[in-house]
């Protein structure tokens, strides 16, 4: 391939120099739409992980497609706001950060995801009316390799599923408004079966809190980096996940 959207690569290099990164907005749009259309569930919202590519033009493109944003730092939040995202469409999902960083994020009005007891207690004591999302570690190994598997027993991410009774006690003690439950098993997942298993486990957590309004399923599906490469069949997965999730909703 020597061109992108009818523009010759050599002309781009001649104009901008090399090395040069070029992104095809049509490919991004097609992939986003295919992903979104693969799921048949009510009130679906896709949150783009800002850390994967924080180019502000890409962020603006995704916003124009209807995407929300997932951020892991204050800097990413500010970049998302600069790109035009509404604070309510940004979910802050950090790991092992300071109290001040949470204070700053709350001041910016974004959604807050909490992944440890210490910060959950801090928010409960200092922001009694703040709705929060809680990250659960399902203790399931998933991902392309151990370094990008974030839902196993040795992971630093999230509150252990086995500590659910303690989580319930803290929430009740501080009268915390748990509006969301988050889970993310890992990245580069080829077999989506483990994703659905983790989802089913998290649904049992959701049943413990009447205040939950949404579930945030962090994803990390495998993509093909070249023609014929291994990848997750997102259309097939979306159909299986939707059937499973809708079945749960019908029982509620």
């Amino acid at each position: 391939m020597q061109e992108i959207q009818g523009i010759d690569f050599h002309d781009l290099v001649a104009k901008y120099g090399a090395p040069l990164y070029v992104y095809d907005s049509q490919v991004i749009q097609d992939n986003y739409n295919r992903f979104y259309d693969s799921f048949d569930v009510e009130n679906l919202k896709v949150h783009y992980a800002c850390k994967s590519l924080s180019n502000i033009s890409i962020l603006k493109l995704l916003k124009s497609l209807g995407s929300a944003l997932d951020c892991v730092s204050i800097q990413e939040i500010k970049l998302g706001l600069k790109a035009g995202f509404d604070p309510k469409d940004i979910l802050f999902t950090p790991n092992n950060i300071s109290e001040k960083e949470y204070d700053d994020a709350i001041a910016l009005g974004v959604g807050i995801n909490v992944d440890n007891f210490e910060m959950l207690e801090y928010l409960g004591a200092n922001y009694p009316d703040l709705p929060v999302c809680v990250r659960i570690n399902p203790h399931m190994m998933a991902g392309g390799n151990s370094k990008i598997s974030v839902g196993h027993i040795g992971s630093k991410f999230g509150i252990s599923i086995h500590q659910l009774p303690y989580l319930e006690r803290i929430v009740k003690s501080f009268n915390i408004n748990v509006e969301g439950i988050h889970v993310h098993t890992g990245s580069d997942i080829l077999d989506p079966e483990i994703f659905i298993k983790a989802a089913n486990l998290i649904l049992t957590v959701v049943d413990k809190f009447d205040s939950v309004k949404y579930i945030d399923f962090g994803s990390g599906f495998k993509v093909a980096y070249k023609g014929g490469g291994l990848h997750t069949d997102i259309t097939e997965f979306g159909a299986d996940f939707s059937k499973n999730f809708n079945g749960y909703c019908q029982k509620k």
Side-chain angles (χ1 to χ4, degrees), residues 1-12 22-27:
M1 179 178 174
Q2 297 296 318
E3 63 177 37
I4 183 169
Q5 291 194 13
I7 303 173
D8 190 282
F9 284 163
H10 297 91
D11 293 339
L12 292 173
V22 180
Y23 302 99
D24 190 331
S25 60
Q26 188 60 55
V27 171

Side-chain angles (χ1 to χ4, degrees), residues 137-204:
N137 182 337
H139 288 202
M140 292 185 179
M141 178 68 76
N145 59 64
S146 60
K147 293 183 179 180
I148 53 176
S149 297
V150 296
H152 57 83
I153 193 170
S155 173
K156 65 179 181 178
F157 299 97
I159 294 172
S160 169
I161 186 72
H162 300 308
Q163 294 178 300
L164 183 56
Y166 185 39
L167 172 62
E168 291 182 87
R169 287 201 296 272
I170 291 179
V171 169
K172 183 177 181 180
S173 176
F174 287 93
N175 194 29
I176 297 173
N177 178 10
V178 179
E179 70 168 0
I181 298 294
H182 169 90
V183 63
H184 180 27
T185 53
S187 298
D188 207 32
I189 297 174
L190 179 60
D191 183 1
E193 182 180 350
I194 188 67
F195 187 98
I196 292 181
K197 286 183 177 179
N200 285 334
L201 185 61
I202 292 305
L203 292 176
T204 66

Side-chain angles (χ1 to χ4, degrees), residues 100-238:
K100 183 180 185 305
E101 288 177 277
Y102 270 115
D103 293 337
D104 292 343
I106 293 169
L108 291 172
V110 301
I112 301 296
N113 202 348
V114 187
D115 72 344
N116 63 79
F117 289 126
E118 291 78 9
M119 284 303 168
L120 188 61
E121 292 178 336
Y122 171 75
L123 296 179
N126 293 276
Y127 299 93
D129 299 320
L130 179 73
V132 300
C133 180
V134 177
R135 180 170 187 167
I136 300 297
N137 182 337
H139 288 202
M140 292 185 179
M141 178 68 76
N145 59 64
S146 60
K147 293 183 179 180
I148 53 176
S149 297
V150 296
H152 57 83
I153 193 170
S155 173
K156 65 179 181 178
F157 299 97
I159 294 172
S160 169
I161 186 72
H162 300 308
Q163 294 178 300
L164 183 56
Y166 185 39
L167 172 62
E168 291 182 87
R169 287 201 296 272
I170 291 179
V171 169
K172 183 177 181 180
S173 176
F174 287 93
N175 194 29
I176 297 173
N177 178 10
V178 179
E179 70 168 0
I181 298 294
H182 169 90
V183 63
H184 180 27
T185 53
S187 298
D188 207 32
I189 297 174
L190 179 60
D191 183 1
E193 182 180 350
I194 188 67
F195 187 98
I196 292 181
K197 286 183 177 179
N200 285 334
L201 185 61
I202 292 305
L203 292 176
T204 66
V205 177
V206 173
D207 289 336
K208 301 291 185 180
F209 303 99
D210 293 334
S211 56
V212 171
K213 296 179 180 179
Y214 65 86
I215 309 172
D216 182 35
F217 297 103
S219 65
F221 302 112
K222 189 173 186 62
V223 298
Y225 288 94
K226 57 183 179 180
L230 292 174
H231 64 280
T232 303
D233 187 330
I234 198 64
T235 301
E236 180 179 342
F237 166 71

